[in-house]
Amino acid sequence: MKLFKRDLLTLLISLFILGSCQNPDGIGLEVDPENAIEGKLVDTLSIISSTVKEDSVFTQSLTKYPVGYINDPAFGPSAASSSLSLTLPSENLKFGSNAILDSAVLVLKYADEYAGDINSNLAFQVNQLATTLNSTSSYFNTAQHPASQNVVGSKTAKVNLKDSVTVIDIVKGKPDVSKKNAPQLRIPITEAFISGNFLNGDSLAFKNNTVFNEYIKGLQISVNRTGTSGLGGIALFDVANSDSRLEIYYKNQNTVIDTNVVSFSFNTQFSAATVTHNYSGTSVETQLANPNTRYSVNYIQPLGGVKTRLEFPYVRNLQSLGNIIINKAELIVQVEPGTDIFSPSPRLYLYRTDIAGQRQPIPDVSLGLSDLSLGGFYDSTKKQYKFALTAYLQDILSGRLIQYDTFITAIDPRSSAGASLFPSATTASRVIIGSGSETSTAKMTLNIIYTKVN
């Protein structure tokens, strides 16, 4: 009976509380000023920042591959080429007797990013690889993949990620169909290369992919800098998509009234990218040579370029305020005015290193929060990036974490795998940011709101 009365009393109290909540949105807003916790803002902590070299980038099995050449006024020239392996549409492929080439085209579907001058004409070219790529090797952006000097395909064009392309779809035994495809680059391939290696090539080479790759090696797509107008740029191609392929159109003597088409897709496990940066004569070179000097700007460039190192040397000094809890810590990074001649990096990422110098996520991410909660997305209105560092700085302040190096790097915001601690090879956009120096016109700031605990 006592238990019944107690349960009834609990039920009545619960109904009374719930019945009094007429406006759920107002819960917690009406607080007695005498009992309110007032947070105090600290925005004067020093930040030491410097530009340092990024690590090499792993370029095998990428979701997107870079191709281009850009002569960036601030960063100097950079070049990217992609070496791609082809895949047979079927084993024991046959072209039939007396195959005659109609045309051949290398189709490369644009991905979601182009970094550079949209008005530049890029002189794309295709060469045959001299050696076969394999899945057991680790290919980084610094690796060179030799190719024949003979150009087997070329096209000069502006990169346009929005305009669809009208193509003729060959339908065997039926009238051809005109249709619109997603934005893509279409590079004509020479008759000599296709006829000599495919239509009139060694028939045994098309038995399976292993034999075929040893035979054909693969294709290297690059940009001829001498044939490129303007500052140039670097495009990303979705070569894993079925829309990217080598298409061969041909006829046989006994079927001259109809055109056959065979398509070879790409195998990204047997593909790699090469990216080079030349900072000679630039401010980037000056900063890399003088890492202990504080400058008014810092540089961030993906594809194995450069990143920005941060230090928060006086965070532990907050202990002099007594026992405090950090309610919110936010790092605000501004784009240096006048340097956004190209679109700035769409997203920056912040990570820390441990005692062994290994990359580690900051606690705000590793505590189970989504990497999206870290922030780092470009705000085109305010021309800035924001990072949430609350747990990170609280752990440093409390002594649970020793502060080593902290870095800001550029990452691909559209990656299906999410943010990665490793250098990115699927984004090409760079950015120049204001440093932590007092001389900076776009000084980065660390805002900390804390409460004092008695």
Side-chain angles (χ1 to χ4, degrees):
M1 190 68 180
K2 290 181 179 179
L3 290 175
F4 174 78
K5 287 183 177 179
R6 185 178 302 162
D7 291 343
L8 181 60
L9 179 60
T10 302
L11 176 61
L12 291 172
I13 293 173
S14 299
L15 290 173
F16 174 76
I17 293 174
L18 293 173
S20 64
C21 293
Q22 300 297 323
N23 182 13
D25 292 336
I27 294 177
L29 296 180
E30 298 297 330
V31 180
D32 186 343
E34 294 183 1
N35 297 324
I37 299 176
E38 295 185 1
K40 295 184 178 180
L41 172 66
V42 174
D43 59 0
T44 56
L45 285 182
S46 296
I47 303 172
I48 298 176
S49 60
S50 58
T51 302
V52 297
K53 190 74 176 68
E54 179 59 282
D55 297 330
S56 298
V57 186
F58 185 69
T59 66
Q60 207 164 346
S61 299
L62 298 178
T63 56
K64 295 173 281 190
Y65 275 85
V67 177
Y69 170 78
I70 183 171
N71 190 6
D72 192 308
F75 290 78
S78 296
S81 63
S82 289
S83 300
L84 310 175
S85 296
L86 294 169
T87 300
L88 288 171
S90 62
E91 293 187 346
N92 297 309
L93 176 66
K94 305 292 184 183
F95 292 98
S97 59
N98 300 316
I100 302 173
L101 180 67
D102 222 16
S103 63
V105 60
L106 181 66
V107 183
L108 298 170
K109 181 180 179 295
Y110 288 120
D112 44 25
E113 184 181 337
Y114 171 69
D117 180 9
I118 60 174
N119 295 313
S120 286
N121 282 294
L122 303 185
F124 294 97
Q125 70 178 39
V126 182
N127 300 74
Q128 184 179 14
L129 289 175
T131 57
T132 304
L133 300 174
N134 61 76
S135 60
T136 58
S137 299
S138 295
Y139 297 118
F140 290 84
N141 67 295
T142 53
Q144 298 292 328
H145 306 287
S148 169
Q149 295 297 314
N150 184 34
V151 177
V152 301
S154 62
K155 184 172 184 177
T156 300
K158 292 180 180 179
V159 174
N160 193 323
L161 304 183
K162 296 182 179 180
D163 282 357
S164 59
V165 178
T166 301
V167 298
I168 302 299
D169 193 14
I170 304 299
V171 182
K172 189 173 180 60
K174 297 181 181 180
D176 299 339
V177 178
S178 175
K179 67 176 185 178
K180 284 190 175 182
N181 283 355
Q184 57 190 232
L185 175 67
R186 302 177 66 86
I187 306 176
I189 304 299
T190 63
E191 186 276 337
F193 175 73
I194 298 298
S195 294
N197 292 280
F198 290 86
L199 302 186
N200 301 319
D202 184 356
S203 60
L204 298 178
F206 302 92
K207 179 180 179 181
N208 56 51
N209 277 313
T210 301
V211 177
F212 176 63
N213 273 302
E214 288 294 333
Y215 170 70
I216 205 69
K217 304 297 188 298
L219 301 176
Q220 186 174 94
I221 301 92
S222 61
V223 167
N224 185 332
R225 63 192 65 187
T226 60
T228 295
S229 67
L231 297 176
I234 296 178
L236 277 299
F237 292 99
D238 186 2
V239 300
N241 191 291
S242 60
D243 287 341
S244 293
R245 57 194 181 269
L246 172 64
E247 295 179 343
I248 299 176
Y249 300 87
Y250 68 98
K251 296 176 182 177
N252 297 106
Q253 280 191 348
N254 57 342
T255 59
V256 293
I257 60 172
D258 201 8
T259 301
N260 304 302
V261 59
V262 60
S263 298
F264 298 81
S265 57
F266 298 107
N267 186 346
T268 58
Q269 289 184 325
F270 294 82
S271 300
T274 300
V275 185
T276 59
H277 304 286
N278 184 356
Y279 302 119
S280 179
T282 68
S283 296
V284 177
E285 181 186 44
T286 301
Q287 291 200 20
L288 292 176
N290 302 278
N292 296 322
T293 302
R294 300 187 67 180
Y295 297 93
S296 60
V297 299
N298 293 125
Y299 298 87
I300 298 173
Q301 183 186 39
L303 296 172
V306 291
K307 58 187 175 181
T308 294
R309 179 172 58 199
L310 303 179
E311 298 176 60
F312 310 113
Y314 305 121
V315 169
R316 296 295 296 273
N317 289 358
L318 293 175
Q319 291 176 330
S320 63
L321 300 174
N323 188 17
I324 67 170
I325 295 177
I326 296 178
N327 305 114
K328 183 178 182 180
E330 190 173 62
L331 177 68
I332 301 177
V333 177
Q334 304 279 352
V335 175
E336 178 68 11
T339 63
D340 52 344
I341 59 171
F342 307 129
S343 296
S345 297
R347 190 185 182 190
L348 302 180
Y349 194 71
L350 185 145
Y351 67 91
R352 67 181 182 89
T353 56
D354 57 21
I355 190 173
Q358 299 299 306
R359 299 181 182 219
Q360 301 292 341
I362 66 170
D364 297 79
V365 175
S366 58
L367 286 175
L369 298 175
S370 164
D371 66 77
L372 298 180
S373 64
L374 173 66
F377 293 92
Y378 179 57
D379 184 331
S380 59
T381 301
K382 297 181 179 180
K383 295 189 175 183
Q384 65 181 22
Y385 305 84
K386 289 184 179 181
F387 298 93
L389 309 182
T390 305
Y392 184 32
L393 296 188
Q394 183 68 64
D395 282 358
I396 294 175
L397 182 62
S398 62
R400 288 192 295 267
L401 195 65
I402 298 176
Q403 180 185 180
Y404 294 102
D405 283 330
T406 305
F407 293 95
I408 303 178
T409 186
I411 65 169
D412 179 7
R414 310 170 189 89
S415 172
S416 58
S420 172
L421 290 172
F422 301 103
S424 178
T426 57
T427 184
S429 299
R430 52 63 151 187
V431 66
I432 303 174
I433 59 175
S435 71
S437 172
E438 295 295 336
T439 62
S440 176
T441 57
K443 183 177 179 293
M444 65 174 70
T445 57
L446 179 62
N447 297 332
I448 299 175
I449 298 177
Y450 72 93
T451 54
K452 192 170 183 179
V453 182
N454 294 326

